[in-house]
Amino acid sequence: MSSSPSQGSTSVSTGAAEAAHAEIPRHRIILASLIGTTIEFYDFYIYATAAVSIFPLLFFHGDDPGMNLLLSMATFGVAFLARPLGSVVFGHFGDIVGRKATLVGALLIMGLATFLIGTLPTYHQIGLWAPTMLTILRFCQGLGLGGEWSGAALLASETAKPGKRASAAMWPQLGAPFGFILANGLFLVLTSFFAYDSTSPSLDDPFVVWGWRLPFLLSIIMIGVGLYVRLRIEETPVFARAMQNDERVKAPIGEVFAKDWRRIILGTFIMLATYGLFYLMTTWILSYAIGSEEAGGLQYGYHSFLILQLISILFFAAFIPVSGALADKFGRRPMLLVVTAAIIAFGFTFGFWLAPASMGTGEGMNVGLMLVFLCVGMALMGLTFGPMSAVLPELFPTNTRYTGSGVAYNAASILGAALTPFAASWLVQVQGVDAVGYYLALLGALTFVALWLAPETKTRSLYTSAAE
């Protein structure tokens, strides 16, 4: 693959770079990049939680609970189909108009779609229109999400000090565990307040009737905070220089596919295992743990399992800054190759951890064993996810960086995330839980190959044009 650009052609002087970074109010950059991804993952988690525990009851009609769950998981995957389109649309404006304005637009579309989901009538009220509207809003949610992450990653990485880019760029990554804690913490409070029992749900239960809507409706508060913060930030110095030097292109998507299509493929597969692990450890494991034994699940209480997830997510948050420091010290490739090998090994142990024979079911589930499994998986998630907001942007030149990193990130979402909860639920029903681990190991092997072929980008300057 192409090597790093030469030092003379790509880097600005140390003094000039430090002067540019000194003018950036770092606390404002951190908050602006963190708030958006926190809202992003909050939105996704509340949808994922509802898709597992509520939507099969309210938006899909049938006598087979396993099929209703699969249909609900299918709507969950719709957003991942929209995300690459969102990365193209928002990437276009992000590379031409600027990072700031584009981030505001992505936040608005993403947040309003989430709020409106909380207002939808159910299948029992308007029939098939209910899942149709749910799917449309899920698509709009994914459209906004497609432009959110890459913009936040560029905001953090393009304002970082030399040699500290992975550590600086890890801030938007912390939005994932923060969003999880906010979303699932709120669901935990609500299910406790309503005394909701997921093992024997009823359509007359107040939580099923209206309580589940509150997390979606309350997202409007976070949107307001996010808009206030983002409207007060400045454009990144890297993009400002590209504007000054007239380096922008008319069609970033055409440019990036014409000149950097190899890097898009590499970036997609570099992110593949991260996405697969993420949605196995958050969405699928919830459906497996609280699912009925008839559908191949463990039939453990939703409320109790949510507590275990909230504990394990602390490991996710703790290892993100660790990963940033390791990537800055040892380089992106060596660090991620080791972590990806550990993910592959972890996949081969799923049968040991999760098989009903060893884990137990219902109130007899081995809580300690499940908690250790979740903590190990979340620690690996923090290590692999943390550096990605530096790795993907570093692959592309300034004038197509928003588009290129966004397309790679969101293409990986289709391959590694859109199908994962659905595929894992199906694999459990037809092959057993061991097969889910083999699925993760396969994703990890593909990522390992991509990392092996990718260039090291630790010392690459972000002040680069396509020609350089």
Side-chain angles (χ1 to χ4, degrees):
M1 290 295 152
S2 58
S3 59
S4 300
S6 64
Q7 184 70 21
S9 62
T10 61
S11 61
V12 296
S13 68
T14 302
E18 290 179 351
H21 296 301
E23 297 172 0
I24 302 297
R26 196 65 205 164
H27 68 281
R28 195 175 296 175
I29 294 296
I30 290 172
L31 185 57
S33 62
L34 178 60
I35 188 70
T37 52
T38 299
I39 296 171
E40 169 189 351
F41 285 100
Y42 171 86
D43 290 352
F44 250 49
Y45 285 131
I46 59 175
Y47 191 98
T49 301
V52 168
S53 59
I54 296 296
F55 290 167
L57 300 172
L58 297 181
F59 288 91
F60 302 96
H61 181 69
D63 297 328
D64 184 353
M67 180 57 65
N68 291 341
L69 175 62
L70 289 177
L71 290 172
S72 182
M73 286 297 188
T75 67
F76 178 77
V78 165
F80 295 101
L81 300 178
R83 287 177 71 157
L85 177 60
S87 68
V88 172
V89 173
F90 287 102
H92 176 86
F93 291 105
D95 284 325
I96 293 179
V97 177
R99 312 327 192 191
K100 174 183 174 178
T102 306
L103 277 169
V104 170
L107 181 63
L108 277 173
I109 292 178
M110 176 179 65
L112 290 176
T114 302
F115 176 80
L116 290 174
I117 288 174
T119 69
L120 286 179
T122 67
Y123 178 90
H124 307 285
Q125 294 170 315
I126 61 169
L128 290 176
W129 282 108
T132 301
M133 290 191 293
L134 178 67
T135 303
I136 291 171
L137 287 176
R138 179 62 174 165
F139 184 88
C140 293
Q141 192 184 46
L143 198 67
L145 287 167
E148 169 59 39
W149 177 87
S150 49
L154 266 59
L155 181 62
S157 61
E158 290 187 343
T159 56
K161 292 181 179 179
K164 299 292 184 181
R165 199 155 55 218
S167 296
M170 67 88 188
W171 286 105
Q173 306 302 79
L174 280 172
F178 289 177
F180 186 99
I181 292 170
L182 283 173
N184 289 287
L186 182 55
F187 265 107
L188 181 62
V189 170
L190 290 173
T191 53
S192 299
F193 177 79
F194 286 99
Y196 176 64
D197 182 8
S198 66
T199 61
S200 56
S202 169
L203 292 177
D204 297 327
D205 192 299
F207 180 74
V208 176
V209 174
W210 64 272
W212 68 271
R213 299 178 184 274
L214 293 177
F216 291 90
L217 299 177
L218 290 174
S219 67
I220 200 72
I221 299 173
M222 297 178 65
I223 297 165
V225 174
L227 286 175
Y228 173 77
V229 172
R230 287 190 168 175
L231 288 172
R232 300 183 68 219
I233 61 174
E234 302 296 330
E235 192 54 78
T236 71
V238 173
F239 183 78
R241 198 192 82 155
M243 290 180 65
Q244 185 178 15
N245 295 342
D246 196 25
E247 296 172 355
R248 292 174 293 175
V249 294
K250 292 183 178 180
I253 187 64
E255 184 84 3
V256 77
F257 272 104
K259 297 183 177 180
D260 287 313
W261 60 270
R262 292 180 180 85
R263 294 174 188 269
I264 289 178
I265 294 174
L266 281 179
T268 298
F269 283 93
I270 285 172
M271 192 68 198
L272 187 65
T274 302
Y275 259 125
L277 178 63
F278 185 70
Y279 284 96
L280 285 178
M281 299 305 302
T282 55
T283 304
W284 168 77
I285 191 64
L286 175 63
S287 67
Y288 178 68
I290 72 174
S292 66
E293 293 185 52
E294 293 79 9
L298 300 178
Q299 204 163 333
Y300 191 65
Y302 168 74
H303 183 274
S304 299
F305 189 77
L306 200 53
I307 295 174
L308 299 182
Q309 282 197 301
L310 286 169
I311 294 172
S312 69
I313 208 72
L314 299 177
F315 286 78
F316 183 14
F319 277 91
I320 286 177
V322 171
S323 70
L326 291 174
D328 277 334
K329 183 175 182 179
F330 298 107
R332 287 46 163 151
R333 286 182 70 251
M335 181 262 181
L336 286 173
L337 282 169
V338 172
V339 174
T340 304
I343 291 173
I344 295 171
F346 180 60
F348 283 109
T349 67
F350 268 44
F352 165 77
W353 297 102
L354 298 177
S358 58
M359 179 62 71
T361 59
E363 294 303 314
M365 190 188 81
N366 189 329
V367 175
L369 185 63
M370 177 60 81
L371 181 60
V372 173
F373 169 80
L374 291 173
C375 291
V376 170
M378 285 299 184
L380 289 172
M381 185 60 214
L383 289 171
T384 186
F385 187 60
M388 291 299 171
S389 53
V391 172
L392 297 188
E394 288 169 351
L395 289 173
F396 300 94
T398 304
N399 57 4
T400 58
R401 183 171 294 132
Y402 203 125
T403 301
S405 60
V407 168
Y409 181 83
N410 290 296
S413 75
I414 294 179
L415 299 177
L419 298 177
T420 292
F422 181 91
S425 298
W426 178 77
L427 285 171
V428 168
Q429 294 180 29
V430 300
Q431 292 291 333
V433 74
D434 301 54
V436 179
Y438 300 150
Y439 181 87
L440 175 62
L442 174 61
L443 297 181
L446 293 171
T447 290
F448 193 92
V449 172
L451 286 166
W452 190 265
L453 296 174
E456 176 57 62
T457 56
K458 174 185 174 182
T459 59
R460 177 172 292 173
S461 172
L462 292 187
Y463 288 89
T464 54
S465 66
E468 290 170 339

